[in-house]
Amino acid sequence: MEIRHFRYFLAVARHKSFVRAAEQLGIAPPTLTRQIQDLESELGTRLLQRSQRDVSLTEAGRALQIEAEATLRQFESAQLSAQRAGRGETGHIQLGYVASAVFSGVLQNQVSEFRQRYADVGFTITEQLMPTLPRLIEEGRLDIGYVRSPMPLGESLSRLDLFEEAFVLALPAGSWLCNLKQIEASHLQNETFILPEQISGTFDVAAQGGFAPKLGPQPGGLVSVVALVSLGQGVAVVPQSMVERIQLPSVLYRPLHDCQPRSCLSLIYRRYEKAAAVARFIEHVKRSAASVQSRA
């Protein structure tokens, strides 16, 4: 017995005619008759009463009709579920991000757009420390990650740059630097630098100023970095999106006059991703990034 036998039987039961059922199924009436006979033979009971005028269901036929309809619905549902999973329309994505990734709004927009289109794909989204995030993806504990580039990646990972912005200085409000009309990199040679997760901006500024930076603590997320700045523990080189997103007492943001280091938000992912939902999200992000670049 195969699922097609149920389809053929239900067509005859619905139309009460072998001829009309055969037309709907696109097969010859004798072929349909043989299929129903095979089904009855396997079940060992009559399912249909034939007359010159029409076809009616026996007691066994009425019982089978209920179960066959339920079985066919379940079969079609299973087919659809498998097809949707294969297309990446269902599934689950483990997404990690560093704290600074949320300030530009890129991460939120891309996840929101994907959810609107693929509502049956679930997400687990967690903040992670940037040095550990690539390893979590390599080990399969995360699927994708939003980080600040540049950062070293293993050969199994790829990177897609999404959004570039300038760095600015976060200064204690009482710092002598706040009184300068223009701050140059060399003015910072005696300052203590509070380090964000992405330290490249700090070292770019120091290189431009011609000095080795005096490094302070690296507390983790940018809110913690700016909090230490507000307490007078040092200065920090942070992404420009911080200016609009985080305003703390006793902190001023200032540009650098002679140095324009850049910060880049990137998506990192496994180079040969096998999970369909994850691969679909990566393609979604690639299309989104290409669309933004074409408008730039």
Side-chain angles (χ1 to χ4, degrees):
M1 186 186 306
E2 299 178 16
I3 198 71
R4 60 184 169 83
H5 289 107
F6 282 178
R7 293 188 190 277
Y8 294 162
F9 166 73
L10 290 173
V12 176
R14 182 166 54 252
H15 291 286
K16 295 182 173 59
S17 165
F18 278 83
V19 173
R20 290 194 296 272
E23 289 176 353
Q24 181 223 308
L25 294 167
I27 61 176
T31 300
L32 178 58
T33 299
R34 285 195 301 272
Q35 294 293 324
I36 297 300
Q37 290 172 343
D38 290 345
L39 178 60
E40 290 178 322
S41 176
E42 186 158 348
L43 293 173
T45 186
R46 300 272 295 185
L47 301 172
L48 302 166
Q49 293 284 358
R50 289 90 162 166
S51 70
Q52 292 182 345
R53 299 180 57 185
D54 62 9
V55 177
S56 61
L57 294 171
T58 65
E59 188 70 24
R62 285 191 290 272
L64 180 62
Q65 183 181 28
I66 295 172
E67 297 299 332
E69 287 174 344
T71 299
L72 197 57
R73 284 194 298 270
Q74 182 62 38
F75 177 75
E76 291 172 347
S77 176
Q79 279 186 311
L80 179 61
S81 294
Q83 290 167 345
R84 296 188 67 206
R87 295 193 298 263
E89 296 173 4
T90 61
H92 196 86
I93 297 173
Q94 299 276 352
L95 186 154
Y97 70 94
V98 297
S100 64
V102 301
F103 296 117
S104 68
V106 172
L107 186 160
Q108 295 92 319
N109 290 339
Q110 290 177 348
V111 171
S112 176
E113 290 170 358
F114 187 83
R115 277 176 161 164
Q116 290 175 14
R117 188 168 182 182
Y118 304 105
D120 292 330
V121 175
F123 281 84
T124 298
I125 302 176
T126 54
E127 181 181 339
Q128 303 288 338
L129 296 175
M130 194 157 73
T132 65
L133 211 154
R135 176 171 51 82
L136 294 176
I137 296 175
E138 288 179 313
E139 294 175 353
R141 288 189 280 171
L142 290 175
D143 295 313
I144 52 178
Y146 284 79
V147 301
R148 290 280 177 177
S149 295
M151 66 180 304
L153 296 177
E155 292 183 359
S156 66
L157 299 182
S158 290
R159 185 187 82 206
L160 176 65
D161 294 337
L162 304 174
F163 174 76
E164 190 178 67
E165 60 181 317
F167 280 110
V168 297
L169 288 173
L171 304 173
S175 170
W176 69 278
L177 295 164
C178 297
N179 298 320
L180 299 178
K181 290 184 177 180
Q182 294 180 336
I183 301 176
E184 297 182 359
S186 60
H187 292 145
L188 302 169
Q189 60 182 333
N190 295 320
E191 302 295 322
T192 298
F193 287 86
I194 310 299
L195 293 174
E197 293 172 313
Q198 178 49 269
I199 63 175
S200 63
T202 300
F203 286 96
D204 287 346
V205 170
Q208 176 66 27
F211 62 89
K214 180 182 177 182
L215 302 181
Q218 188 173 14
L222 286 174
V223 175
S224 299
V225 171
V226 178
L228 290 184
V229 173
S230 74
L231 294 169
Q233 300 301 296
V235 303
V237 180
V238 299
Q240 189 170 10
S241 54
M242 295 282 294
V243 176
E244 296 180 359
R245 301 293 187 264
I246 300 181
Q247 294 290 334
L248 295 184
S250 303
V251 175
L252 295 177
Y253 295 103
R254 295 287 298 275
L256 276 164
H257 176 63
D258 62 342
C259 183
Q260 288 81 39
R262 308 291 292 180
S263 172
C264 187
L265 177 65
S266 302
L267 179 75
I268 60 174
Y269 54 92
R270 288 181 287 272
R271 189 180 301 273
Y272 303 108
E273 181 56 59
K274 296 179 180 179
V278 178
R280 183 169 286 276
F281 183 82
I282 294 168
E283 289 304 313
H284 165 75
V285 173
K286 287 180 178 179
R287 289 194 300 271
S288 177
S291 176
V292 170
Q293 291 173 1
S294 67
R295 294 195 301 267

